[in-house]
Amino acid sequence: MRITWLRFHRKWRRLAVLVVAVYLVVNGLLFSKLIGWVDDLSSLMEKRYDPFGSIHRNPCPMQRNLYASERILTGSDAVCQTAWSDNDADIQMESVLDELSVGYPNLVLTVYGWADTIRVEAWSPAPLTVIVMPHSHQDPGWLSTMDAYYTQFTKGTLDNIAEQLSANPSWTFIWNEIVFLQRWWTDASNEQRIKFKKLLVSGQLELVSGGLVMPDESLTHFNAILDQLVEGHQWVKQTFNITIENNWAIDPFGHSATVPYLLREAGLKNMVIQRTHFAVKREFAKRRSFEFYWRQSWDFEGKHDMFCHMLPFLLYNIPHSCGPDRHVCCQFDFHHQHCYHGKSHIPVVSVTENNLAELAESLWEQLQKKASLYRHGVVLLPHGDDFRYATKPEWEAQMFNLQKIMDYINRNDRMQTKITFGTLNDYFKAVKSEKAPGPPSSKGPFAVLSGDFLPYSDRSDQYWTGFYTSRPWIKEAVSRLQDYLRSAEILFTLSLSVTKINTSMASLYRKLESSRRTLAVSLHYDAITGTSKANVMQDNKLSIQQAFGELNNVHETCIKGILKNYDHKYQTINITGDSGPQLLILRQDLPIRLLIWNSIGTKRDVVARVLTDTRDVHVTDVYERRVTQQVDPEWTEDGHVTDGTFWLSFQAEVPGFSVAGYLVDISTDDVHASVVTLYNVTSSKQGTHKT
C-alpha cells in the first residue's frame, strides 16, 4: 500500500511540474509577442511615422542577389551603386525604390485597418493661401453599374452643380468624368445647359482631365488612352469651346510615366496624382518633394516636362484632405458623419458660435502641418469623396458650415491665412505665382523627377498587383475591341473616300462613337482590372459584345460600299478575322464568299477560323486554287464535343490595307479536310504593349 501511494504521489508531482512548465512556456511566448508589438509601435513612432527623421534603409532591395554575392566574395558589406540613365532629374524613382524602407507595424489600433504613414510633429506658423476645392469622384461602374450610379447619384450631382453654383457665386467645383457629363447633357433642360455654360465661363466650375473616364495606367495600351482622351476633349471643345489644362487622376492603382507625356502632348499643363506607394510618400514628405516636374527618361532637355502635384495622404476623401490627422479632418465632413480617433467615435456637429473658434483652430493647425510638406505657402484642400454632393441638403450642410469656418480664419489676423473656394486652375496659378523657398534651378524650387509609381502599395506587403492577371477575359476583350475598332475606323475612312456622306454613313459613325465609349468605359481602373463586382463585370461584358456587333455591321457595310464601285462577283459578303466576332456558316447558305480585311500596312499570313454546321467543305482563293485547311470539332468548356458544329480553319494571305476573298463551298471529295498544324504568323493586336 505504501509503494502504491508513493507512485501515485510521484505521478501528481510530475503532472504539476508539467503544468508549470507549460504555463511558463505559454507566458514566455505571449510576453515575447507583446515585446514585438511594443517594438513595432515604438519603431513606428520613432522612424516610420517621422517624415523628417532618419529612415532605416535596406541594402539594395532590388539587387539582393548581387549584394549577397559581393558580400560573400569580399567578406564585407557591398556598397549599393545603381546606374540609371542620367537625364538631369533630381529624383530617379528606380534609385529611390532601391533605398526605401517598406517596414510597417504588425499591430494597428484603428478602425480603418491601417496606420497613416506621415505624421508632422513639428511645424512653424506661416502665412498661407488655401484653396478649398469641392469635388465628387464618379466611377462609371464599381459596386454598381454605370446606369445605376447615374440614376442614383450622378444626375443629382450635376443638377445641383448647375443650381447651387449659380445661386452662390463664391462656391466652386471641379468635374472629371466626361462620359457621365455627355449623358447628363443629353438629359439636361435648356435652362440647365445655359447655367452650366455660364459657370464654365466664370471659372466657378472647371472641367479637368477631359477624358471620357479616369483610365487605369498599368494594363491599358497608350493608343486606347489617347482615343478616350481625344473623344472627350473634342466633345468638350465642340460643346463648350474650352480647352482643358489640368489633369485629375486620384484613384488609379499606381501611375505610369507614359501618361504625363501623353497629357503634355495633348496640351495639358498640370496634373494631380494620389495612389503611390506608402513608402514613397513617406520619403517625399521627408524631402518636401510632393510637387515636381515629371520628366521622361529619354528627355534630356526637359521639353516634355509636366508639373505634378501628389496628394500626400492615404486617400482623396475628406478625412485625408486637410492634414495628417484624419480624426481632425473627418470633423469637416458635415454630411457623412463617420469620424473616429482610434476606435472612439467623434461626433460631427454643425458649426455654431460656441464651437466655431475651436473648429477653425483645428483646421488651421492641420493646414499648417500640410503646408510644411510642400515648398510654398499655397495649400490645396480637396473636399469630396465618391459620389458626393448629390443632394441639396448635402450641398447646404457642407458649404455653409465650411463658409463659416473660412470667414473666421480670414478675419483672424493671427492666423495670417487667406482661405477661399477654388478650382485646380486657381491652385496652380497661385503656386506658380508665389516665390517659394528652395534650391534654385531651371524649374524654380521644384524637383525634377524621372520614373513611374508602379506597383502601388498602401501598407505592408499588400501590393496592388493581383489585378494584373485576375479576370483575364476582360483584358483580352478590351485588347480585341481596341483592335477591331481601329480596323472599323480605317474601313470607314476608306469608304468615305468612295461614298458620299449620307444618312447611312452618319448612322455608322454613331456606331463608331458608341463603340469608342464602350472601349473607354472598359479602360476604367475598376473595369479592365476586374476590381468591380460580378454584376458590373457582366454589364461590361454585354456592352463589349454589343460593340462587337455594331463594329461588325460597320465592317460589312463599308466593304459593300467600297466594292460596289468595282467589278466583282461577290454575291454574299461576310467579314471574318482574328479580332472580330466569330462567323457561323450554314450548309444551306453554301457556296459563300468570305472577305478577310487586313487593317495593317504590311502583308499578313493568318489562319482564319469560322464555325460551320458541316465538315464537308473546301476553300478556294480568287484564282480557284484550293488552300490549306483543317476541320476540327468544336469543344465545350467542360470538355465535350459539340454535336453538329465544326471549326473550319484555313490559311489566308492578305496584302496590307487590302481585302482578300475566299470561296467556301460543299466538298465532293472523299477526304473532308487536310490536317495541318495551324498558327498565326503575325498579329495586328496592340494589347501586347502596355503603358
Side-chain angles (χ1 to χ4, degrees), residues 345-372:
H345 181 262
I346 299 176
V348 179
V349 296
S350 297
V351 180
T352 65
E353 290 297 327
N354 295 329
N355 60 20
L356 175 57
E358 180 182 356
L359 289 172
E361 190 74 26
S362 297
L363 177 59
W364 177 75
E365 179 179 337
Q366 291 299 305
L367 295 172
Q368 291 286 344
K369 289 182 177 182
K370 187 174 184 178
S372 68

Short mmCIF file of all heavy atoms in Angstrom, two decimals, residues 345-372:
data_model
loop_
_atom_site.label_atom_id
_atom_site.label_comp_id
_atom_site.label_asym_id
_atom_site.label_seq_id
_atom_site.Cartn_x
_atom_site.Cartn_y
_atom_site.Cartn_z
N HIS A 345 -15.53 56.95 -31.44
CA HIS A 345 -16.29 57.76 -32.38
C HIS A 345 -16.27 59.22 -31.97
O HIS A 345 -16.44 59.56 -30.80
CB HIS A 345 -17.73 57.26 -32.45
CG HIS A 345 -18.58 58.02 -33.43
ND1 HIS A 345 -19.41 59.04 -33.05
CD2 HIS A 345 -18.70 57.90 -34.77
CE1 HIS A 345 -20.03 59.53 -34.12
NE2 HIS A 345 -19.61 58.84 -35.18
N ILE A 346 -16.04 60.10 -32.97
CA ILE A 346 -16.06 61.54 -32.72
C ILE A 346 -17.33 62.11 -33.34
O ILE A 346 -17.53 61.99 -34.55
CB ILE A 346 -14.83 62.23 -33.33
CG1 ILE A 346 -13.55 61.68 -32.72
CG2 ILE A 346 -14.89 63.74 -33.15
CD1 ILE A 346 -12.29 62.23 -33.34
N PRO A 347 -18.19 62.71 -32.57
CA PRO A 347 -19.43 63.27 -33.15
C PRO A 347 -19.12 64.46 -34.04
O PRO A 347 -18.30 65.31 -33.72
CB PRO A 347 -20.24 63.68 -31.91
CG PRO A 347 -19.22 63.89 -30.84
CD PRO A 347 -18.12 62.91 -31.11
N VAL A 348 -19.78 64.49 -35.18
CA VAL A 348 -19.64 65.62 -36.11
C VAL A 348 -20.84 66.52 -35.93
O VAL A 348 -21.99 66.08 -36.06
CB VAL A 348 -19.54 65.13 -37.57
CG1 VAL A 348 -19.43 66.32 -38.51
CG2 VAL A 348 -18.36 64.20 -37.73
N VAL A 349 -20.59 67.79 -35.65
CA VAL A 349 -21.67 68.73 -35.35
C VAL A 349 -21.62 69.90 -36.31
O VAL A 349 -20.58 70.20 -36.92
CB VAL A 349 -21.56 69.24 -33.90
CG1 VAL A 349 -21.74 68.10 -32.92
CG2 VAL A 349 -20.21 69.93 -33.67
N SER A 350 -22.74 70.57 -36.48
CA SER A 350 -22.78 71.78 -37.29
C SER A 350 -22.03 72.90 -36.59
O SER A 350 -21.86 72.90 -35.37
CB SER A 350 -24.23 72.20 -37.53
OG SER A 350 -24.92 71.20 -38.26
N VAL A 351 -21.57 73.86 -37.38
CA VAL A 351 -20.79 74.97 -36.84
C VAL A 351 -21.73 75.98 -36.19
O VAL A 351 -22.70 76.44 -36.80
CB VAL A 351 -19.97 75.64 -37.95
CG1 VAL A 351 -19.16 76.81 -37.39
CG2 VAL A 351 -19.06 74.63 -38.63
N THR A 352 -21.42 76.32 -34.93
CA THR A 352 -22.19 77.33 -34.20
C THR A 352 -21.22 78.34 -33.61
O THR A 352 -20.00 78.17 -33.67
CB THR A 352 -23.01 76.68 -33.07
OG1 THR A 352 -22.12 76.11 -32.10
CG2 THR A 352 -23.93 75.59 -33.61
N GLU A 353 -21.76 79.36 -32.96
CA GLU A 353 -20.91 80.35 -32.32
C GLU A 353 -20.10 79.73 -31.18
O GLU A 353 -19.00 80.19 -30.88
CB GLU A 353 -21.78 81.50 -31.77
CG GLU A 353 -22.41 82.37 -32.85
CD GLU A 353 -21.35 83.09 -33.67
OE1 GLU A 353 -20.30 83.45 -33.11
OE2 GLU A 353 -21.58 83.31 -34.88
N ASN A 354 -20.62 78.68 -30.59
CA ASN A 354 -19.94 78.06 -29.45
C ASN A 354 -18.72 77.23 -29.86
O ASN A 354 -17.74 77.15 -29.12
CB ASN A 354 -20.91 77.18 -28.67
CG ASN A 354 -22.03 77.97 -28.03
OD1 ASN A 354 -21.83 79.14 -27.66
ND2 ASN A 354 -23.21 77.38 -27.91
N ASN A 355 -18.79 76.59 -31.04
CA ASN A 355 -17.67 75.72 -31.43
C ASN A 355 -16.87 76.26 -32.61
O ASN A 355 -15.93 75.62 -33.08
CB ASN A 355 -18.18 74.31 -31.77
CG ASN A 355 -19.18 74.31 -32.92
OD1 ASN A 355 -19.25 75.26 -33.70
ND2 ASN A 355 -19.97 73.25 -33.01
N LEU A 356 -17.25 77.44 -33.12
CA LEU A 356 -16.60 77.99 -34.30
C LEU A 356 -15.10 78.18 -34.10
O LEU A 356 -14.28 77.76 -34.93
CB LEU A 356 -17.26 79.31 -34.69
CG LEU A 356 -16.61 80.08 -35.85
CD1 LEU A 356 -16.56 79.21 -37.11
CD2 LEU A 356 -17.37 81.38 -36.12
N ALA A 357 -14.71 78.81 -33.01
CA ALA A 357 -13.29 79.09 -32.77
C ALA A 357 -12.48 77.81 -32.66
O ALA A 357 -11.37 77.70 -33.21
CB ALA A 357 -13.14 79.93 -31.50
N GLU A 358 -13.03 76.81 -31.98
CA GLU A 358 -12.30 75.55 -31.79
C GLU A 358 -12.12 74.82 -33.12
O GLU A 358 -11.02 74.32 -33.43
CB GLU A 358 -13.06 74.67 -30.81
CG GLU A 358 -12.38 73.33 -30.54
CD GLU A 358 -13.19 72.46 -29.59
OE1 GLU A 358 -14.22 72.93 -29.09
OE2 GLU A 358 -12.77 71.31 -29.37
N LEU A 359 -13.19 74.75 -33.92
CA LEU A 359 -13.09 74.08 -35.21
C LEU A 359 -12.14 74.82 -36.15
O LEU A 359 -11.35 74.19 -36.87
CB LEU A 359 -14.48 73.95 -35.84
CG LEU A 359 -15.44 72.95 -35.20
CD1 LEU A 359 -16.83 73.07 -35.81
CD2 LEU A 359 -14.91 71.53 -35.36
N ALA A 360 -12.22 76.14 -36.16
CA ALA A 360 -11.33 76.93 -37.02
C ALA A 360 -9.87 76.73 -36.62
O ALA A 360 -8.98 76.61 -37.49
CB ALA A 360 -11.71 78.40 -36.95
N GLU A 361 -9.60 76.70 -35.34
CA GLU A 361 -8.23 76.49 -34.86
C GLU A 361 -7.72 75.11 -35.27
O GLU A 361 -6.56 74.96 -35.68
CB GLU A 361 -8.19 76.64 -33.33
CG GLU A 361 -6.79 76.68 -32.74
CD GLU A 361 -6.08 78.00 -33.01
OE1 GLU A 361 -6.77 79.02 -33.18
OE2 GLU A 361 -4.83 77.99 -33.04
N SER A 362 -8.59 74.11 -35.16
CA SER A 362 -8.19 72.75 -35.55
C SER A 362 -7.88 72.67 -37.04
O SER A 362 -6.87 72.07 -37.45
CB SER A 362 -9.30 71.76 -35.20
OG SER A 362 -9.53 71.72 -33.81
N LEU A 363 -8.73 73.26 -37.87
CA LEU A 363 -8.49 73.24 -39.31
C LEU A 363 -7.22 74.01 -39.66
O LEU A 363 -6.41 73.55 -40.48
CB LEU A 363 -9.70 73.84 -40.05
CG LEU A 363 -9.55 73.95 -41.57
CD1 LEU A 363 -9.30 72.58 -42.19
CD2 LEU A 363 -10.78 74.60 -42.19
N TRP A 364 -7.03 75.16 -39.06
CA TRP A 364 -5.85 75.98 -39.34
C TRP A 364 -4.57 75.22 -38.99
O TRP A 364 -3.58 75.26 -39.73
CB TRP A 364 -5.93 77.29 -38.55
CG TRP A 364 -4.72 78.17 -38.72
CD1 TRP A 364 -4.40 78.93 -39.79
CD2 TRP A 364 -3.68 78.37 -37.76
NE1 TRP A 364 -3.23 79.60 -39.59
CE2 TRP A 364 -2.76 79.28 -38.34
CE3 TRP A 364 -3.44 77.89 -36.47
CZ2 TRP A 364 -1.61 79.71 -37.67
CZ3 TRP A 364 -2.29 78.31 -35.81
CH2 TRP A 364 -1.39 79.21 -36.41
N GLU A 365 -4.57 74.50 -37.87
CA GLU A 365 -3.38 73.74 -37.48
C GLU A 365 -3.09 72.63 -38.49
O GLU A 365 -1.93 72.40 -38.86
CB GLU A 365 -3.60 73.13 -36.09
CG GLU A 365 -2.42 72.30 -35.61
CD GLU A 365 -2.62 71.72 -34.23
OE1 GLU A 365 -3.43 72.29 -33.46
OE2 GLU A 365 -1.98 70.72 -33.91
N GLN A 366 -4.14 71.94 -38.97
CA GLN A 366 -3.93 70.90 -39.98
C GLN A 366 -3.38 71.48 -41.28
O GLN A 366 -2.50 70.89 -41.92
CB GLN A 366 -5.25 70.17 -40.25
CG GLN A 366 -5.74 69.32 -39.10
CD GLN A 366 -4.77 68.22 -38.74
OE1 GLN A 366 -4.38 67.40 -39.58
NE2 GLN A 366 -4.35 68.19 -37.48
N LEU A 367 -3.88 72.63 -41.67
CA LEU A 367 -3.39 73.27 -42.89
C LEU A 367 -1.93 73.67 -42.76
O LEU A 367 -1.14 73.56 -43.71
CB LEU A 367 -4.25 74.49 -43.22
CG LEU A 367 -5.72 74.19 -43.58
CD1 LEU A 367 -6.51 75.48 -43.69
CD2 LEU A 367 -5.80 73.39 -44.88
N GLN A 368 -1.54 74.14 -41.57
CA GLN A 368 -0.14 74.49 -41.34
C GLN A 368 0.74 73.24 -41.44
O GLN A 368 1.84 73.27 -42.02
CB GLN A 368 0.03 75.15 -39.97
CG GLN A 368 -0.57 76.54 -39.84
CD GLN A 368 0.26 77.59 -40.57
OE1 GLN A 368 1.42 77.36 -40.92
NE2 GLN A 368 -0.33 78.75 -40.78
N LYS A 369 0.28 72.14 -40.87
CA LYS A 369 1.05 70.89 -40.95
C LYS A 369 1.17 70.42 -42.39
O LYS A 369 2.24 69.96 -42.83
CB LYS A 369 0.38 69.81 -40.09
CG LYS A 369 0.50 70.02 -38.59
CD LYS A 369 -0.16 68.86 -37.84
CE LYS A 369 0.01 69.01 -36.33
NZ LYS A 369 -0.60 67.87 -35.59
N LYS A 370 0.09 70.51 -43.13
CA LYS A 370 0.12 70.09 -44.53
C LYS A 370 1.06 70.97 -45.34
O LYS A 370 1.82 70.48 -46.20
CB LYS A 370 -1.29 70.10 -45.12
CG LYS A 370 -1.39 69.52 -46.52
CD LYS A 370 -2.83 69.44 -46.99
CE LYS A 370 -2.93 68.76 -48.35
NZ LYS A 370 -4.34 68.63 -48.81
N ALA A 371 1.03 72.27 -45.08
CA ALA A 371 1.89 73.20 -45.82
C ALA A 371 3.36 72.90 -45.58
O ALA A 371 4.20 73.15 -46.46
CB ALA A 371 1.56 74.63 -45.43
N SER A 372 3.70 72.36 -44.40
CA SER A 372 5.10 72.08 -44.10
C SER A 372 5.66 70.96 -44.96
O SER A 372 6.88 70.75 -45.00
CB SER A 372 5.25 71.72 -42.62
OG SER A 372 4.63 70.48 -42.34
#
